[in-house]
């Protein structure tokens, strides 16, 4: 029995050895990275960093010149904000609409939440297209977002012309 115990101890050191944290790539460099990240976050908070907005999967449906189409996408804000306008040279008019297609002044963006502009939800209608938007093409747009503090930020976006959402 004593032989088995010593053998178990001997092998346990081979398979269950704790990683060393004092060499290159070890704990000291991890600590340095943590300190740098904390310093960055502190500086961003002290300096009044701007809100962060992310746009994912922007797309429009194909349509003929002079017709209308709709812009769909996912939008996320780091702080309370609202989408107040969308501009494009591809259409004579763009307007924010609610889930029933009625014009609205703005679309609210809750901090950290994903707001989907989609069919049956708030979205953007592009009317009076300057030219045909064909499948595989792209439509340049500028989203205008107003933060809770009144700051306004313009976000350039290029929407792909597709028949359905990229996540399908």
């Amino acid at each position: 029995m004593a032989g088995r115990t010593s053998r178990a101890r001997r092998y346990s050191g081979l398979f269950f050895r704790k990683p060393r944290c004092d060499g290159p790539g070890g704990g000291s460099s991890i600590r340095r990275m943590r300190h740098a990240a904390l310093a960055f976050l502190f500086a961003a908070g002290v300096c009044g960093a701007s809100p962060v907005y992310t746009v994912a999967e922007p797309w429009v449906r194909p349509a003929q010149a002079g017709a209308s189409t709709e812009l769909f996408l996912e939008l996320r804000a780091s702080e309370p904000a609202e989408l107040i306008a969308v501009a494009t040279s591809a259409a004579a008019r763009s307007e924010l609409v609610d889930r029933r297609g009625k014009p609205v002044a703005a679309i609210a963006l809750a901090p950290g939440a994903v707001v989907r502009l989609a069919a049956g939800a708030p979205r953007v209608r592009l009317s009076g297209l300057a030219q045909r938007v064909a499948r595989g093409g792209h439509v340049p747009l500028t989203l205008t977002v107003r933060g809770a503090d009144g700051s306004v930020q313009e976000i350039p976006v290029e929407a792909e012309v597709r028949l359905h959402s990229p996540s399908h």
Side-chain angles (χ1 to χ4, degrees):
M1 191 81 172
R4 289 183 151 209
T5 307
S6 65
R7 193 177 309 154
R9 274 191 223 135
R10 191 174 86 203
Y11 288 117
S12 69
L14 294 173
F15 296 108
F16 302 108
R17 178 174 285 161
K18 286 186 175 180
R20 293 184 53 141
C21 295
D22 56 352
S28 59
S29 63
I30 291 172
R31 273 191 298 273
R32 280 193 299 269
M33 285 190 291
R34 282 184 189 153
H35 289 217
L38 288 173
F40 172 77
L41 292 173
F42 177 74
V46 169
C47 297
S50 297
V52 176
Y53 303 104
T54 56
V55 176
E57 301 181 352
W59 66 282
V60 297
R61 290 189 176 126
Q64 297 299 319
S68 296
T69 190
E70 293 178 329
L71 167 68
F72 307 106
L73 55 83
E74 293 179 356
L75 186 57
R76 182 186 304 237
S78 64
E79 296 179 13
E82 54 188 6
L83 176 64
I84 58 171
V86 176
T88 180
S89 59
R93 185 172 152 189
S94 62
E95 61 185 341
L96 305 172
V97 297
D98 66 11
R99 60 184 185 85
R100 294 179 309 262
K102 305 284 184 193
V104 294
I107 297 172
L109 306 173
V114 174
V115 175
R116 288 191 62 154
L117 303 185
R123 57 198 178 277
V124 178
R125 182 183 304 134
L126 305 176
S127 305
L129 293 172
Q131 60 187 13
R132 178 175 177 248
V133 288
R135 210 164 111 189
H138 291 87
V139 176
L141 303 141
T142 302
L143 309 180
T144 304
V145 179
R146 181 176 47 222
D149 62 355
S151 64
V152 175
Q153 189 170 347
E154 293 185 339
I155 306 165
V157 174
E158 193 156 300
E160 183 178 357
V161 182
R162 309 175 55 92
L163 293 176
H164 54 78
S165 170
S167 46
H168 279 108

